[in-house]
Amino acid sequence: MNLHANIFGQGAPFLILHGFLGMGDNWKTLGKKIAIEGFEVHLLDQRNHGRSFHSDDFSYDLMVQDLKEYCEAHDLKKVNLLGHSMGGKTAMLFASKYSELMDNLIVADIGPKHYPLHHQDILDGLASLDFETLKSRGEVDQELSAYVSDVGVRMFLLKNLYWVDKGVLGLRMHLDALIKNASEIGVALPENKGFDGNTLFLKGEKSNYILTDDLVRIRKQFPNLIIKEISNSGHWLHAENPDKFLSEVLEFVKN
């Protein structure tokens, strides 16, 4: 079962992995700008997200295997791989297992450590949606607002809405599997596996996902490392300061 992806541009392969509850489409604007700079950009949907296949099984090992099979199916060698949040963990583990397929690794606002579960309100809100009674985007937003107060987060989540049938809304993600396996999102990656190729870590200035204390472990696992902070941004650094994010990414992959 192959992952769904939007592909555009020509040049060296540049793969982008979204975060939990996201999809490749979240990266369309940035992806097109990267493509203009001479890359073949692949905006992937990871399993149980976007238009990719649904499975009751969900873990980083499986997402890495999906990515390996995707690279084989598209005959991709020496990829630039960018992952945000959950996608960043997939990218780190992929690079540590299949370094021979890697050119550059870019990790956006996540470390290899364990993170406690912190999406429960969002998952509860999504689970509460009754599409037999909710018939418009506005109604879904209203329902979700009881669980998720942040408008930006709700807009991000509502990208998953689509018309399953005439007059019937649904979510593209496999919500049941994501709820069942929610604890998998925060698991720590193996400490004995790393990647010694070119690596860029980008952290949001206002984000607490990568702390000063985390840097010892990160440097040990990714010794050929550059760390850059994206100003005026939190965990959604690529959306909150896209110009700075893009310039750091392009400077890194072009040098």
Side-chain angles (χ1 to χ4, degrees):
M1 287 185 286
N2 223 324
L3 297 175
H4 176 270
N6 276 332
I7 305 169
F8 38 81
Q10 289 180 312
F14 196 117
L15 280 54
I16 301 181
L17 300 175
H18 60 80
F20 187 49
L21 305 177
M23 60 178 82
D25 276 3
N26 302 145
W27 288 82
K28 202 174 264 181
T29 305
L30 271 170
K32 286 185 170 167
K33 288 178 178 173
I34 291 169
I36 288 167
E37 299 293 327
F39 295 95
E40 181 183 87
V41 173
H42 298 244
L43 302 181
L44 289 98
D45 292 343
Q46 299 189 81
R47 67 166 56 203
N48 294 329
H49 290 77
R51 290 175 173 82
S52 279
F53 63 89
H54 289 184
S55 167
D56 290 335
D57 300 317
F58 189 74
S59 70
Y60 285 113
D61 282 322
L62 288 170
M63 288 190 279
V64 163
Q65 206 46 45
D66 295 341
L67 187 55
K68 171 77 159 43
E69 288 169 15
Y70 180 89
C71 288
E72 287 170 353
H74 291 264
D75 196 27
L76 300 178
K77 302 188 172 63
K78 294 296 174 193
V79 303
N80 297 283
L81 181 58
L82 186 167
H84 171 244
S85 204
M86 177 189 85
K89 278 201 162 174
T90 306
M92 284 185 269
L93 189 58
F94 181 86
S96 70
K97 283 188 168 186
Y98 301 112
S99 59
E100 72 279 3
L101 292 175
M102 292 295 300
D103 192 356
N104 297 296
L105 171 65
I106 303 156
V107 180
D109 211 59
I110 196 80
K113 70 178 182 183
H114 171 264
Y115 289 85
L117 193 60
H118 55 284
H119 299 100
Q120 205 51 54
D121 288 350
I122 289 174
L123 293 173
D124 289 346
L126 292 171
S128 78
L129 300 174
D130 177 2
F131 291 114
E132 288 188 10
T133 59
L134 299 169
K135 296 300 176 190
S136 73
R137 194 182 182 83
E139 289 175 11
V140 175
D141 185 43
Q142 184 65 40
E143 177 76 19
L144 211 47
S145 67
Y147 297 84
V148 183
S149 59
D150 188 303
V151 179
V153 174
R154 289 206 308 277
M155 291 298 104
F156 163 75
L157 295 169
L158 291 175
K159 281 192 170 21
N160 286 283
L161 271 186
Y162 77 115
W163 294 105
V164 181
D165 228 330
K166 196 171 167 42
V168 183
L169 282 165
L171 295 170
R172 288 206 184 276
M173 65 182 79
H174 184 12
L175 186 60
D176 291 347
L178 296 178
I179 289 171
K180 188 184 86 175
N181 296 291
S183 60
E184 290 291 333
I185 302 305
V187 298
L189 300 180
E191 284 198 54
N192 60 347
K193 281 200 168 82
F195 172 63
D196 58 11
N198 300 330
T199 306
L200 173 66
F201 270 72
L202 295 169
K203 72 178 293 297
E205 179 189 16
K206 301 171 191 163
S207 171
N208 60 1
Y209 273 69
I210 297 176
L211 304 172
T212 308
D213 294 354
D214 300 330
L215 297 180
V216 173
R217 174 177 172 179
I218 290 172
R219 287 185 194 285
K220 195 170 155 196
Q221 287 186 255
F222 303 94
N224 197 2
L225 173 70
I226 297 169
I227 297 179
K228 291 288 181 79
E229 190 170 85
I230 304 298
S231 58
N232 303 316
S233 71
H235 186 56
W236 305 95
L237 59 179
H238 57 292
E240 292 167 313
N241 193 345
D243 293 344
K244 180 66 174 160
F245 185 91
L246 180 66
S247 72
E248 291 292 3
V249 167
L250 291 175
E251 186 185 336
F252 174 70
V253 293
K254 291 190 158 192
N255 295 331

